[in-house]
Amino acid sequence: MKKSTSEINVRYGETDQMGVVYHANYLIWFEIGRTDFIETLGLRYAGMEEDGFLSPVVDAKLNFHYPVRYGEKPVVETWLRSYDGIRTQYGYEIKNENGKLCVSGTTTHTVVKKENFRPVSIRRSLPEWHAAYSKALEA
């Protein structure tokens, strides 16, 4: 399975009063991982937007296993869990410097036209994305 790994530097402003990363920040880290993963496929979100499409999140799930704290350097591993030509689901694991699983989760996305937010077929509208996703699933 093709994966990307993105290192994160925990900033003080990302933590709560206990010095633990505030839960909503993990979604931002998922986005960092997803963007890096897409770039490993030779694609760019900005390119999709320039072509008149957006890829909104339609579902997000997070599971918290162990806290990440200020000063740590966790990594986000990202991969493609599923793709059916319409919806794309990414998987994520955030691990601390010792490799301990801290957060796992998924986000599911669709692609819509920028002008009217109507869903489109990735297979037909973005054939290069379709080919890259199909190949990533085979890897």
Coordinates of all heavy atoms in Angstrom, one line a residue, residues 3 11 16 18 23 30 38-39 60 66 72-73 79 89 91 105 113 118 129:
K3 N 2.0 4.8 0.9 CA 1.8 5.8 2.0 C 2.7 7.0 1.9 O 3.8 6.8 1.3 CB 2.1 5.1 3.4 CG 1.0 4.1 3.8 CD 1.4 3.6 5.2 CE 0.3 2.7 5.8 NZ 0.5 2.3 7.2
R11 N 3.3 23.1 17.7 CA 3.4 24.4 18.2 C 2.6 24.7 19.5 O 1.6 24.0 19.7 CB 2.9 25.4 17.1 CG 3.8 25.3 15.8 CD 3.2 26.0 14.7 NE 1.9 25.5 14.4 CZ 1.2 25.8 13.3 NH1 1.6 26.7 12.5 NH2 0.1 25.2 13.0
D16 N -3.7 22.6 24.4 CA -4.7 23.1 25.4 C -4.0 23.4 26.7 O -2.7 23.4 26.8 CB -5.8 22.2 25.6 CG -5.4 20.8 26.1 OD1 -4.3 20.7 26.6 OD2 -6.2 19.8 26.0
M18 N -3.6 21.8 29.2 CA -2.9 20.6 29.8 C -1.6 20.3 29.0 O -0.9 19.4 29.3 CB -3.7 19.4 29.7 CG -5.0 19.5 30.6 SD -6.1 18.1 30.4 CE -6.8 18.4 28.8
H23 N -7.9 18.7 20.2 CA -8.4 17.7 19.3 C -8.7 18.1 17.8 O -8.4 17.4 16.9 CB -9.6 17.0 19.9 CG -10.8 17.9 19.9 ND1 -11.0 18.7 21.0 CD2 -11.9 18.0 19.1 CE1 -12.1 19.4 20.8 NE2 -12.7 19.0 19.7
F30 N -4.3 16.0 9.5 CA -4.8 15.1 8.4 C -4.7 15.8 7.1 O -4.3 15.2 6.1 CB -6.2 14.7 8.7 CG -6.5 13.6 9.7 CD1 -5.4 13.2 10.6 CD2 -7.7 13.1 9.9 CE1 -5.7 12.2 11.5 CE2 -7.9 12.1 10.9 CZ -6.9 11.6 11.7
I38 N -1.2 13.3 -1.9 CA -1.7 13.7 -3.2 C -0.5 14.1 -4.1 O -0.4 13.7 -5.2 CB -2.8 14.7 -3.2 CG1 -4.1 14.1 -2.7 CG2 -3.0 15.4 -4.5 CD1 -5.2 15.0 -2.3
E39 N 0.4 14.8 -3.5 CA 1.6 15.3 -4.2 C 2.5 14.1 -4.6 O 3.2 14.1 -5.6 CB 2.4 16.3 -3.4 CG 1.6 17.7 -3.4 CD 2.3 18.7 -2.6 OE1 3.3 18.5 -1.9 OE2 1.7 19.8 -2.5
A60 N -15.7 12.7 8.5 CA -14.4 12.6 9.2 C -14.6 11.8 10.5 O -15.6 12.0 11.2 CB -13.9 14.0 9.5
Y66 N -3.6 8.1 22.3 CA -2.5 8.6 23.2 C -2.3 10.0 22.9 O -2.3 10.4 21.8 CB -1.3 7.7 23.0 CG -0.2 7.9 24.0 CD1 -0.3 7.2 25.2 CD2 0.9 8.6 23.8 CE1 0.7 7.3 26.2 CE2 1.9 8.8 24.7 CZ 1.8 8.1 25.9 OH 2.8 8.3 26.9
E72 N 6.8 17.8 20.9 CA 7.0 16.5 20.2 C 7.0 16.7 18.7 O 6.6 17.8 18.2 CB 5.9 15.5 20.6 CG 6.0 15.1 22.1 CD 5.0 14.1 22.5 OE1 4.0 13.9 21.7 OE2 5.2 13.5 23.5
K73 N 7.5 15.8 18.0 CA 7.6 15.8 16.5 C 6.9 14.5 16.0 O 7.5 13.6 15.5 CB 9.0 15.9 16.0 CG 9.7 17.2 16.4 CD 11.0 17.3 15.7 CE 11.8 18.5 16.0 NZ 11.2 19.7 15.7
W79 N -2.7 7.3 3.6 CA -2.9 6.4 2.4 C -4.3 6.5 1.9 O -5.2 7.0 2.6 CB -2.5 5.0 2.9 CG -3.4 4.4 3.9 CD1 -4.5 3.6 3.7 CD2 -3.3 4.5 5.3 NE1 -5.1 3.2 4.9 CE2 -4.4 3.8 5.9 CE3 -2.4 5.2 6.1 CZ2 -4.6 3.8 7.3 CZ3 -2.6 5.2 7.5 CH2 -3.7 4.4 8.1
Q89 N -11.7 7.9 0.1 CA -11.5 7.9 1.6 C -10.0 7.7 1.9 O -9.4 6.8 1.3 CB -12.3 6.7 2.2 CG -12.1 6.8 3.8 CD -12.9 5.7 4.4 OE1 -12.6 4.5 4.3 NE2 -14.0 6.1 5.1
G91 N -6.9 7.2 4.8 CA -6.7 6.8 6.1 C -5.5 7.5 6.7 O -4.6 7.9 5.9
G105 N -7.6 7.7 12.0 CA -8.9 8.2 11.5 C -9.0 8.1 10.0 O -8.1 7.6 9.3
K113 N -18.2 20.7 -8.6 CA -17.8 21.9 -9.5 C -17.8 23.1 -8.6 O -18.7 23.3 -7.8 CB -18.9 22.1 -10.6 CG -18.8 21.1 -11.7 CD -19.7 21.5 -12.8 CE -19.3 20.7 -14.0 NZ -19.1 21.5 -15.2
R118 N -22.0 21.2 -7.3 CA -22.6 19.9 -7.6 C -21.6 18.8 -7.8 O -20.5 19.0 -8.4 CB -23.4 20.1 -8.9 CG -24.5 21.0 -8.7 CD -25.5 20.9 -9.8 NE -26.5 21.9 -9.4 CZ -27.7 21.9 -9.7 NH1 -28.2 20.9 -10.4 NH2 -28.6 22.8 -9.4
W129 N -6.6 12.2 -12.1 CA -6.8 11.8 -10.7 C -7.3 10.4 -10.6 O -6.8 9.6 -9.7 CB -7.7 12.8 -10.0 CG -7.1 14.2 -9.8 CD1 -6.8 15.1 -10.7 CD2 -6.8 14.7 -8.5 NE1 -6.3 16.2 -10.1 CE2 -6.3 16.0 -8.7 CE3 -6.9 14.2 -7.2 CZ2 -5.8 16.8 -7.7 CZ3 -6.4 15.1 -6.2 CH2 -5.9 16.3 -6.4

